Amino acid sequence: MAEGGRQHRILVVEDEDNIALALNYLMMREGYQHDRVANGAEALPRIRETHPDLVLLDVMLPEVSGYEICQSVRLDPALADVKILMMTARGSTIERQKGLALGADGFISKPFELKELRTEVRRLLTGEG
C-alpha cells in the first residue's frame, strides 16, 4: 500500500503475452493496481495519463524502444516521481549501464524469478533495501 492507504499503481509495458500474464499474476497477488500496454507507442501517453508509481518497462518493444520511453519520462518534470524498472532478455552489463544512464531506477534480466522481481518492485515502491 502507498501512503494514505492508496494502492500502488504499476504500468506493465511488455509485448510478450506469456511474460505479461506472469507479471499480471504477481501484481494481483501483491495487491497492486496495474495496467498493461503491449507496444512502445502507447506507453508514454498511458504513463502521462495514469501517472503510475512504477513502470515495468521491457527494453525491446514494437514501435518505440524501452530506452526511448525511459528517456522521455525522465525529460518530463511532471513524471519525475515515476519509478522505472527495465526488463531485458539481453541482460548484458552494457544494456544495464545504458538503462541506468537514461534514468532507470532498476534493471532486471529475463527470464526472472518472480521472487527477485517482487523484491525489486517492493524496493522501488517503498525505498527500502
Side-chain angles (χ1 to χ4, degrees), residues 57 59 67 84-100 104-109 116 120 123-124:
L57 181 60
V59 169
Y67 292 129
I84 297 175
L85 177 57
M86 298 196 83
M87 307 177 289
T88 183
R90 299 193 317 237
S92 72
T93 305
I94 292 167
E95 298 261 318
R96 183 179 296 262
Q97 287 172 340
K98 182 176 177 182
L100 295 174
D105 298 288
F107 213 93
I108 197 163
S109 300
E116 177 191 8
E120 191 66 3
R123 179 184 73 81
L124 292 174

Side-chain angles (χ1 to χ4, degrees), residues 51 70 85 95 104 113 121:
H51 204 105
C70 180
L85 177 57
E95 298 261 318
E113 296 289 324
V121 166

Side-chain angles (χ1 to χ4, degrees), residues 16-129:
E16 293 179 47
D17 287 340
N18 57 340
I19 294 172
L21 281 169
L23 293 170
N24 181 47
Y25 170 74
L26 177 66
M27 298 302 116
M28 270 180 22
R29 212 174 70 187
E30 292 291 300
Y32 300 131
Q33 283 183 357
H34 60 282
D35 196 3
R36 175 198 174 197
V37 294
N39 74 58
E42 291 175 33
L44 204 55
R46 185 70 62 86
I47 292 167
R48 288 195 169 113
E49 177 190 325
T50 62
H51 204 105
D53 297 300
L54 173 67
V55 179
L56 291 179
L57 181 60
D58 190 18
V59 169
M60 303 297 290
L61 291 164
E63 300 180 48
V64 180
S65 79
Y67 292 129
E68 293 172 80
I69 294 163
C70 180
Q71 189 171 27
S72 296
V73 169
R74 288 300 169 240
L75 290 172
D76 186 337
L79 301 174
D81 59 337
V82 174
K83 301 282 187 201
I84 297 175
L85 177 57
M86 298 196 83
M87 307 177 289
T88 183
R90 299 193 317 237
S92 72
T93 305
I94 292 167
E95 298 261 318
R96 183 179 296 262
Q97 287 172 340
K98 182 176 177 182
L100 295 174
L102 289 173
D105 298 288
F107 213 93
I108 197 163
S109 300
K110 295 192 254 178
F112 39 74
E113 296 289 324
L114 284 180
K115 182 171 180 255
E116 177 191 8
L117 178 66
R118 185 173 65 229
T119 301
E120 191 66 3
V121 166
R122 282 182 180 164
R123 179 184 73 81
L124 292 174
L125 289 174
T126 63
E128 294 169 5

